[in-house]
Amino acid sequence: VCRSNKSPWVCLTCSSVHCGRYVNGHAKKHYEDAQIPMTNHKKTEKQEKVQHTVCMDCSSYSTYCYRCDDFVVNDTKLGLVQKVREHLQNLENSAFTSDRHRKRKLLENSSLNSKLLKVNGSTTALCATGLRNLGNTCFMNAILQSLSNIQQFCCYFKELPAVELRNGKTAGRRTYHTRSQGDNNVSLVEEFRKTLCALWQGSQTAFSPESLFYVVWKIMPNFRGYQQQDAHEFMRYLLDHLHLELQGGFNGVSRSVILQENSNLSASNKCCINGASTVVTAIFGGILQNEVNCLICGTESRKFDPFLDLSLDIPSQFRNKRSKNQESGPMCTLRDCLRSFTDLEELDETELYMCHKCKKKQKSTKKFWIQKLPKVLCLHLKRFHWTAYLRNKVDTYVEFPLRGLDMKCYLLEPENSGPESCLYDLVAVVVHHGSG
């Protein structure tokens, strides 16, 4: 109607294509116009069948029902929704084919050859495959893109043998999980592997992680729906569930055996969390020493805690500083946050320590040391400050190095670490813009 090419939705009843409600809303108007004769006249059997209530997003292939005013993930018994998806995907792929040929010629004949990545001496093309948003799923896409760029972690999953979750005619084809298939044969590791492979095979400009999102809905109920979620919380849940699933069997071979065969992940560097070591703990796992001292009798208590990431407070003296250039005064750095995390602190009245020697709760001090650093260090900045009744977002600008973050001064035994083992280069940053 309006010739817009933004947000196209196709009606699954009559195949007409209209723009979405955030453009001019012609898809919604199409549905509303189809309801008018049904309310004015007696419904006949033929009219009941022609209900233009279900449509599909031509970009993300998400299916939406106007009557329920919600997205739907189930399919018909004959799998008709899946057939429409495949047809739309074929149309999209054919449309991009000529464009890819043009880009390939440009790459071959121009100075764009500089966009190549040298890995272990060999030169490989740098792929740029995007992830489609399935309705406020930027929290998931940001984490997936970040993890996919951690080379050792990504390569491990891409090299795992494929598991065919479905047999028969659909075996080997890209599958869209639906509620009608039931809860059986849901594998987070397998869908995560497929997503990482799709991101790096370079055969498409964007990939829709619907199959992975369906599995996330199944095994992580907190993330069901299409509302905004916390990226850090999703990363923790994702890594925890990958770790648990990887401890099981894989095609008759224990995944811990597969891990041991990987020469890059030696047994001496493993950090065990909740059972056997996996690629998750081998790469992200570190160990903290929690040291508590009773201020009355001087008794010292030490506890060792494994971690996959460190959550850092932004020191209170920097919390009112909103942006990079807005106010004068000292700039908050990542070192300030790390120092605040590891500095000696006195526990307040609500956190009194149960002293085993005094046999009662006493005032005490607490200090964290890092006993073992992980291969990949995940740092989470606490962007919310809690008061008695309110939660405030902390907008403080935090300066951090892109290369050579030295963690040696936070180690329990720095003398036992090599000069290079404590230096970290930045690989990914996730930032949430906006309120909420």
Side-chain angles (χ1 to χ4, degrees), residues 212-226:
L212 177 64
F213 197 38
Y214 168 80
V215 175
V216 168
W217 278 28
K218 281 289 180 188
I219 64 175
M220 305 179 205
N222 311 38
F223 299 98
R224 285 178 187 166
Y226 295 90

Side-chain angles (χ1 to χ4, degrees), residues 9 57-62 71 85 132-134 176 208 210:
W9 289 79
D57 186 341
C58 298
S59 302
S60 67
Y61 310 130
S62 303
F71 287 90
R85 281 196 180 104
R132 289 192 177 91
N133 198 321
L134 307 177
Y176 285 87
S208 187
E210 286 200 347

Side-chain angles (χ1 to χ4, degrees), residues 42-60:
K42 191 178 178 181
K43 294 179 186 177
T44 64
E45 189 180 346
K46 186 177 181 182
Q47 283 175 322
E48 259 187 31
K49 287 181 181 175
V50 185
Q51 297 173 12
H52 302 254
T53 57
V54 183
C55 57
M56 183 182 287
D57 186 341
C58 298
S59 302
S60 67

Side-chain angles (χ1 to χ4, degrees), residues 417-432:
S417 301
E420 296 297 317
S421 64
C422 303
L423 294 177
Y424 288 87
D425 294 339
L426 191 71
V427 71
V429 182
V430 177
V431 184
H432 177 258

Side-chain angles (χ1 to χ4, degrees), residues 102-357:
R102 185 178 62 81
K103 286 179 180 176
R104 199 168 287 130
K105 284 182 180 178
L106 275 171
L107 277 168
E108 290 168 357
N109 302 325
S110 73
S111 61
L112 289 174
N113 279 322
S114 60
K115 283 191 175 181
L116 295 172
L117 182 69
K118 283 196 172 182
V119 181
N120 298 331
S122 62
T123 306
T124 56
L126 197 64
C127 301
T129 301
L131 283 166
R132 289 192 177 91
N133 198 321
L134 307 177
N136 288 325
T137 56
C138 47
F139 70 92
M140 178 178 78
N141 291 355
I143 294 300
L144 292 176
Q145 289 285 17
S146 299
L147 292 176
S148 77
N149 279 280
I150 296 171
Q151 192 184 357
Q152 198 176 17
F153 185 70
C154 184
C155 287
Y156 173 84
F157 283 93
K158 288 197 294 181
E159 290 168 8
L160 285 176
V163 176
E164 291 302 330
L165 299 180
R166 288 160 64 177
N167 300 316
K169 294 179 181 177
T170 56
R173 278 166 47 194
R174 182 174 163 220
T175 60
Y176 285 87
H177 289 286
T178 61
R179 279 184 185 147
S180 57
Q181 291 172 25
D183 295 334
N184 299 327
N185 297 325
V186 168
S187 169
L188 181 65
V189 169
E190 174 64 4
E191 292 306 329
F192 186 67
R193 182 193 71 81
K194 286 180 183 176
T195 302
L196 293 180
C197 289
L199 281 173
W200 287 99
Q201 64 189 9
S203 61
Q204 52 191 338
T205 55
F207 172 72
S208 187
E210 286 200 347
S211 298
L212 177 64
F213 197 38
Y214 168 80
V215 175
V216 168
W217 278 28
K218 281 289 180 188
I219 64 175
M220 305 179 205
N222 311 38
F223 299 98
R224 285 178 187 166
Y226 295 90
Q227 64 270 28
Q228 290 190 50
Q229 301 283 356
D230 184 71
H232 171 248
E233 187 182 3
F234 174 75
M235 186 192 77
R236 286 305 312 268
Y237 271 90
L238 179 70
L239 291 178
D240 285 344
H241 281 278
L242 286 171
H243 172 65
L244 289 171
E245 196 173 311
L246 282 166
Q247 289 181 69
F250 197 130
N251 283 1
V253 181
S254 169
R255 288 191 178 95
S256 57
V257 173
I258 297 172
L259 180 64
Q260 287 165 17
E261 290 173 355
N262 190 330
S263 59
N264 293 325
L265 304 172
S266 63
S268 61
N269 287 322
K270 291 174 188 172
C271 170
C272 222
I273 299 173
N274 297 332
S277 176
T278 66
V279 68
V280 175
T281 52
I283 288 179
F284 297 101
I287 299 173
L288 276 178
Q289 178 180 289
N290 185 354
E291 196 173 282
V292 179
N293 278 288
C294 176
L295 290 175
I296 307 302
C297 67
T299 301
E300 186 180 275
S301 171
R302 292 180 183 178
K303 195 170 76 170
F304 295 96
D305 297 313
F307 67 88
L308 293 178
D309 65 355
L310 299 177
S311 288
L312 310 178
D313 279 306
I314 293 171
S316 55
Q317 66 266 32
F318 297 108
R319 280 185 200 146
N320 294 327
K321 185 172 167 55
R322 297 183 64 80
S323 65
K324 187 176 181 180
N325 302 313
Q326 195 171 340
E327 297 174 23
S328 58
M331 173 77 73
C332 181
T333 66
L334 191 58
R335 283 197 168 277
D336 292 319
C337 300
L338 284 163
R339 201 176 295 117
S340 174
F341 178 78
T342 54
D343 273 354
L344 187 73
E345 66 168 311
E346 188 172 331
L347 299 175
D348 58 32
E349 296 293 330
T350 59
E351 299 177 300
L352 291 178
Y353 164 66
M354 183 66 191
C355 179
H356 299 294
K357 190 173 181 181

